Amino acid sequence: MRTRFLLSNTEIQQVFSDDITQELVYLPHDRKKIIAVLTQHQELLENVISSIKKPYLAYLTSLGVTSQSTLHLVDLGYSGTIQSLLTILLNKDTVGHYLISSKPGEHRIADNTATMKGYLKEGVKLGEGYLPLDRSMFLESLLTAPFGQFRGIRFNTFDKNKFDFYYGRKVTSQRYFYELEQVMSGALEYCHHAGKHQIEFNSDELELLLNNYLSKPNMIPRSTKHIFDIDDDVTGNGTVNALQFFGLA
């Protein structure tokens, strides 16, 4: 509740008794017990999150998201967690476009259909030995926003048509975001070059390129080490550096 859903201790205490918060549970063994507790406290949970849920839905409406009959989502992730949550929250059919999809195809979620497509690889899971997925932390660190971890959204105090966003701490790659912008500028420049000269890569060639950078030490300049920091606060691991984590620094 604290790290994944960003509820404060005060909000948690408003919903759950001390007996519940002190009880040890183990997943997946206690899955049914956890679902039962959350279901019993659904109304209280809805009251607690309403102050963030309402502005969030209003923000999506302002972007034109809720006016679409089917939502198309682009995500680096592979398991479809965010897509599934948006499918439920917005009560709409969704199509997820992923670099790698562990669960491709159509899935029935609540009253809607979520379709997941992987463009480099489909049907592989984390830890099965497919390097571009097992080491996707590299791409996650590069494809970050210049802000800290998103913590919440509220209506602006003076103008209800505007929104205030709240973020957590920044990791090194976000403090030196101008360096990431240089990397992205080079990547986009090459995309334009490849398109102009009709240069194409098939999946095998892309995997070969990725695997070289993801497995061999010193392929990535040491001077860029700091831009591979990633915020892993939601799992309680703090800041993780991809190069150090995989022994490539």
Side-chain angles (χ1 to χ4, degrees), residues 72-233:
H72 286 260
L73 310 167
V74 179
D75 190 359
L76 179 63
Y78 52 90
S79 63
T81 303
I82 302 300
Q83 180 184 353
S84 299
L85 291 173
L86 285 172
T87 301
I88 296 169
L89 182 64
L90 300 175
N91 193 28
K92 290 181 181 293
D93 292 343
T94 59
V95 180
H97 304 271
Y98 302 89
L99 181 65
I100 301 163
S101 176
S102 295
K103 298 182 289 185
E106 293 187 356
H107 304 273
R108 197 67 184 168
I109 298 177
D111 298 321
N112 296 98
T113 299
T115 305
M116 302 177 190
K117 299 179 180 180
Y119 289 85
L120 181 62
K121 195 79 168 179
E122 291 186 331
V124 290
K125 296 180 180 179
L126 197 67
E128 291 184 342
Y130 184 64
L131 209 61
L133 175 57
D134 288 348
R135 300 194 172 183
S136 58
M137 188 191 301
F138 280 95
L139 290 178
E140 288 181 29
S141 60
L142 292 177
L143 296 176
T144 186
F147 318 107
Q149 183 192 84
F150 176 70
R151 304 290 295 186
I153 180 173
R154 305 274 182 178
F155 288 114
N156 182 272
T157 304
F158 305 104
D159 187 346
K160 297 301 181 182
N161 293 316
K162 295 181 179 180
F163 306 92
D164 293 330
F165 300 90
Y166 299 88
Y167 303 96
R169 65 185 182 84
K170 292 184 178 182
V171 293
T172 309
S173 57
Q174 292 163 333
R175 292 200 301 271
Y176 293 89
F177 194 76
Y178 64 91
E179 295 185 27
L180 276 181
E181 288 181 311
Q182 290 297 308
V183 174
M184 293 305 149
S185 177
L188 289 171
E189 184 178 335
Y190 183 75
C191 287
H192 289 301
H193 172 80
K196 180 179 179 181
H197 297 282
Q198 297 182 329
I199 301 170
E200 296 182 359
F201 294 91
N202 61 33
S203 296
D204 290 340
E205 290 170 328
L206 284 174
E207 288 172 354
L208 178 64
L209 284 169
L210 274 173
N211 286 347
N212 278 315
Y213 281 99
L214 297 176
S215 62
K216 297 179 180 178
N218 304 316
M219 286 288 287
I220 298 172
R222 288 177 180 267
S223 59
T224 65
K225 174 185 170 183
H226 57 282
I227 67 173
F228 289 92
D229 277 354
I230 188 168
D231 173 357
D232 202 22
D233 285 344

